[in-house]
Amino acid sequence: MSTSAGPRVPQHIAVIMDGNGRWAQQRRRPRAIGHRAGTRAVNRCIDFCLEKNIAALTLFAFSSENWGRPEDEVGALMKLFMNALDREVAELDRRGVRIRFIGDRDRFNPPIRSRMDAAELLTGNNKKLTLTIAASYGGRQDIAAAARSLAQDVADGRLQPGQIDERRFASRMALADLPPPDLFIRTGGDFRISNFLLWQLAYTELWFTETLWPELDAATLHCALEDYASRERRFGLTGAQHASQDVPGAALSPDETSA
Ligand code: FPP
């Protein structure tokens, strides 16, 4: 759908970067080579978002379940994360990217954890693009953590059970300070959410492609944006109703985030 201001562009894109292993296998190379090629695709995706003035990009880099992969593959991925943190952060900072991590950071080794902390600190005031890396992340784990935090407030007498509603719950989830993703992209040909942002994707437009992640390019991302622009988002309302009112899902004001 186009407006007088041009085609509608998503402000927040969430991506499952799937297909690294198959890309490597097709070339009879170890899976780790696919992940390495995947990091170059990550850079192309960030470049695209910066060029299109997309405000937020959330990438699923490593799921809470991925720890169960063969030891050598997990080790190769850790090395890649470490190298990427050492190599890319200064340049991303220069380009105005705010870097953040969601997921269970405690499971990473101390050198990676300290680089994650340092990257967040260095880039925390940048405004051009918020790049969130989901690492050791699971959507169910995210929901359970929010429930645990609210339950603690109830146990400590700071909150009444009746005060728990969707907005308050959302304020305890990862990405609480961002609008929910407008567009979800999954490469690699599977049609699944795979325990990614289960809560946050409730009204997100979903887009799937056979393209394997290492082959991702601007043309593929253009296709996703074109398809997104053609969709009518209604958020459970009729088209006419939605056109005449604000989009639901506004964030809590700071004084509402706790009891
Ligand atoms: C899924 O492909 C991909 C991953 C589990 C890792 C994603 C990591 C990267 C793209 C590289 C590093 C990222 C950053 C942010 C520096 P798969 O291995 O499941 O592929 P397959 O389905 O073909 O086996």
Side-chain angles (χ1 to χ4, degrees), residues 8 12 166 180-184 197-206 228 231-237 242 247-249:
R8 188 156 39 86
H12 182 178
E166 287 183 29
D182 299 303
L183 174 64
F184 162 93
L197 304 162
L198 297 180
W199 174 281
Q200 298 86 341
L201 293 177
Y203 280 103
T204 301
E205 296 297 324
L206 308 180
Y228 174 81
R231 307 230 185 138
E232 185 193 36
R233 304 187 73 191
R234 295 190 296 276
F235 300 90
L237 305 178
H242 184 255
V247 175

Coordinates of all heavy atoms in Angstrom, one line a residue, residues 8 12 166 180-184 197-206 228 231-237 242 247-249:
R8 N 4.9 2.4 2.1 CA 5.0 2.2 3.5 C 6.3 1.3 3.8 O 6.5 0.3 3.2 CB 3.8 1.5 4.1 CG 3.8 1.4 5.6 CD 2.3 1.3 6.1 NE 1.5 0.4 5.3 CZ 1.4 -0.9 5.4 NH1 2.1 -1.5 6.3 NH2 0.6 -1.6 4.7
H12 N 10.7 -1.5 11.9 CA 11.4 -2.5 12.7 C 11.3 -3.8 11.9 O 10.2 -4.3 11.7 CB 10.8 -2.6 14.1 CG 11.5 -3.6 15.0 ND1 11.1 -3.8 16.3 CD2 12.6 -4.4 14.9 CE1 11.9 -4.7 16.9 NE2 12.8 -5.1 16.0
E166 N -1.9 -6.7 29.4 CA -0.9 -6.9 28.3 C 0.2 -5.9 28.3 O 1.3 -6.2 28.0 CB -1.7 -6.9 27.0 CG -2.5 -8.2 26.8 CD -3.2 -8.2 25.5 OE1 -2.7 -7.6 24.5 OE2 -4.3 -8.8 25.4
P180 N 6.9 -3.0 18.3 CA 7.0 -4.4 17.8 C 7.5 -4.5 16.4 O 7.2 -3.5 15.6 CB 5.7 -5.0 18.0 CG 4.7 -3.9 18.4 CD 5.5 -2.7 18.7
P181 N 8.1 -5.6 16.0 CA 8.5 -5.7 14.6 C 7.3 -5.5 13.6 O 6.3 -6.0 13.8 CB 9.1 -7.1 14.5 CG 9.5 -7.4 15.8 CD 8.5 -6.8 16.7
D182 N 7.5 -4.7 12.5 CA 6.5 -4.6 11.5 C 6.6 -5.7 10.5 O 5.6 -6.2 10.0 CB 6.7 -3.3 10.7 CG 6.6 -2.1 11.6 OD1 5.6 -1.9 12.2 OD2 7.6 -1.3 11.6
L183 N 7.9 -6.2 10.3 CA 8.1 -7.2 9.3 C 9.1 -8.2 9.8 O 10.1 -7.9 10.4 CB 8.7 -6.5 8.0 CG 9.2 -7.4 6.9 CD1 8.0 -8.2 6.3 CD2 9.9 -6.6 5.8
F184 N 8.7 -9.5 9.7 CA 9.5 -10.6 10.0 C 10.0 -11.3 8.7 O 9.2 -11.6 7.8 CB 8.7 -11.6 10.9 CG 9.3 -13.0 11.0 CD1 10.1 -13.4 12.0 CD2 9.0 -14.0 10.0 CE1 10.6 -14.6 12.1 CE2 9.5 -15.3 10.1 CZ 10.3 -15.6 11.2
L197 N 10.6 -14.3 18.6 CA 9.9 -13.3 19.4 C 8.4 -13.6 19.5 O 7.6 -13.0 18.9 CB 10.1 -11.9 18.8 CG 11.6 -11.5 18.6 CD1 11.7 -10.4 17.6 CD2 12.2 -11.1 19.9
L198 N 8.1 -14.6 20.3 CA 6.7 -15.2 20.3 C 5.7 -14.1 20.7 O 4.6 -14.0 20.0 CB 6.6 -16.4 21.2 CG 7.5 -17.6 20.9 CD1 7.3 -18.7 21.9 CD2 7.2 -18.1 19.5
W199 N 6.0 -13.3 21.7 CA 5.0 -12.3 22.1 C 5.0 -11.1 21.1 O 4.0 -10.6 20.7 CB 5.5 -11.8 23.5 CG 4.7 -10.7 24.1 CD1 4.9 -9.4 23.7 CD2 3.6 -10.7 25.0 NE1 4.0 -8.6 24.4 CE2 3.2 -9.4 25.2 CE3 3.0 -11.8 25.7 CZ2 2.2 -9.1 26.1 CZ3 1.9 -11.4 26.6 CH2 1.5 -10.1 26.7
Q200 N 6.2 -10.7 20.8 CA 6.4 -9.5 20.0 C 5.9 -9.6 18.6 O 5.6 -8.6 17.9 CB 7.9 -9.0 20.0 CG 8.5 -8.7 21.4 CD 9.0 -10.0 22.1 OE1 8.7 -11.1 21.8 NE2 9.9 -9.8 23.1
L201 N 5.8 -10.8 18.0 CA 5.4 -11.0 16.6 C 3.9 -11.1 16.4 O 3.5 -11.4 15.3 CB 6.1 -12.2 16.0 CG 7.6 -12.2 15.9 CD1 8.2 -13.5 15.4 CD2 8.1 -11.0 14.9
A202 N 3.1 -10.8 17.5 CA 1.7 -11.1 17.4 C 1.0 -10.5 16.1 O 0.2 -11.1 15.5 CB 1.0 -10.5 18.7
Y203 N 1.4 -9.3 15.8 CA 0.8 -8.6 14.6 C 1.8 -8.3 13.5 O 1.5 -7.4 12.6 CB -0.1 -7.4 15.0 CG -1.4 -7.8 15.6 CD1 -1.6 -7.8 16.9 CD2 -2.4 -8.2 14.7 CE1 -2.9 -8.2 17.4 CE2 -3.6 -8.7 15.2 CZ -3.8 -8.7 16.6 OH -5.0 -9.1 17.0
T204 N 2.9 -8.9 13.6 CA 3.9 -8.7 12.6 C 3.6 -9.3 11.2 O 3.0 -10.4 11.2 CB 5.3 -9.2 13.1 OG1 5.6 -8.6 14.3 CG2 6.4 -9.0 12.1
E205 N 3.9 -8.7 10.1 CA 3.7 -9.3 8.8 C 4.9 -10.2 8.6 O 6.1 -9.9 8.8 CB 3.8 -8.2 7.7 CG 2.6 -7.2 7.8 CD 1.3 -7.9 7.6 OE1 1.2 -8.8 6.8 OE2 0.3 -7.4 8.3
L206 N 4.6 -11.5 8.2 CA 5.6 -12.5 8.0 C 5.9 -12.7 6.5 O 5.1 -12.7 5.7 CB 5.0 -13.8 8.5 CG 4.4 -13.8 10.0 CD1 3.9 -15.2 10.3 CD2 5.4 -13.3 11.0
Y228 N 5.7 -6.2 1.8 CA 5.2 -5.5 3.0 C 4.4 -4.3 2.6 O 3.3 -4.1 3.2 CB 6.4 -5.1 3.9 CG 6.0 -4.3 5.1 CD1 5.5 -4.9 6.2 CD2 6.0 -2.9 5.1 CE1 5.1 -4.2 7.3 CE2 5.6 -2.2 6.1 CZ 5.1 -2.8 7.3 OH 4.7 -2.1 8.3
R231 N 0.7 -4.9 1.8 CA -0.2 -5.6 2.8 C -1.0 -4.6 3.5 O -0.6 -3.5 3.8 CB 0.6 -6.4 3.8 CG 1.6 -7.3 3.2 CD 1.5 -8.7 3.7 NE 2.6 -9.5 3.2 CZ 3.3 -10.4 3.9 NH1 3.1 -10.4 5.2 NH2 4.2 -11.1 3.3
E232 N -2.3 -5.0 3.8 CA -3.1 -4.1 4.6 C -3.1 -4.6 6.1 O -3.4 -5.7 6.4 CB -4.6 -4.2 4.1 CG -5.4 -3.2 4.9 CD -6.9 -3.4 4.6 OE1 -7.3 -4.6 4.5 OE2 -7.6 -2.4 4.6
R233 N -2.5 -3.8 7.0 CA -2.4 -4.2 8.4 C -3.7 -3.7 9.1 O -4.0 -2.5 9.0 CB -1.2 -3.6 9.0 CG 0.1 -4.0 8.2 CD 1.3 -3.6 8.9 NE 1.6 -4.4 10.1 CZ 2.5 -4.1 11.0 NH1 3.2 -3.0 10.9 NH2 2.7 -4.9 12.1
R234 N -4.3 -4.6 9.8 CA -5.6 -4.2 10.4 C -5.6 -4.4 11.9 O -6.5 -3.9 12.6 CB -6.8 -5.0 9.8 CG -7.0 -4.7 8.4 CD -8.3 -5.3 7.8 NE -8.2 -6.7 7.9 CZ -7.7 -7.5 6.9 NH1 -7.2 -7.0 5.8 NH2 -7.7 -8.8 7.0
F235 N -4.7 -5.1 12.5 CA -4.6 -5.3 13.9 C -5.9 -5.8 14.5 O -6.3 -5.4 15.6 CB -4.1 -4.0 14.6 CG -2.7 -3.6 14.2 CD1 -2.6 -2.7 13.1 CD2 -1.6 -4.1 14.8 CE1 -1.3 -2.3 12.7 CE2 -0.3 -3.7 14.4 CZ -0.2 -2.8 13.3
G236 N -6.6 -6.7 13.8 CA -7.8 -7.2 14.3 C -9.1 -6.4 14.1 O -10.2 -6.8 14.4
L237 N -8.9 -5.2 13.5 CA -10.0 -4.3 13.2 C -10.4 -4.4 11.8 O -9.8 -5.2 11.0 CB -9.6 -2.8 13.5 CG -9.1 -2.6 14.9 CD1 -8.7 -1.1 15.0 CD2 -10.1 -2.9 16.0
H242 N -9.4 0.7 11.2 CA -7.9 0.9 11.4 C -7.4 2.1 10.8 O -6.6 2.8 11.4 CB -7.1 -0.3 11.0 CG -5.7 -0.2 11.4 ND1 -4.7 0.2 10.5 CD2 -5.1 -0.2 12.6 CE1 -3.6 0.3 11.1 NE2 -3.8 0.1 12.4
V247 N -2.4 3.1 15.6 CA -2.1 1.7 15.8 C -2.0 1.3 17.2 O -1.4 2.0 18.0 CB -0.8 1.4 15.1 CG1 -0.3 0.0 15.3 CG2 -0.9 1.7 13.6
P248 N -2.7 0.2 17.7 CA -2.6 -0.2 19.1 C -1.2 -0.7 19.4 O -0.4 -0.9 18.6 CB -3.6 -1.4 19.2 CG -3.8 -1.9 17.8 CD -3.5 -0.8 16.9
G249 N -0.9 -0.8 20.8 CA 0.3 -1.4 21.2 C 1.3 -0.4 21.7 O 2.5 -0.6 21.8

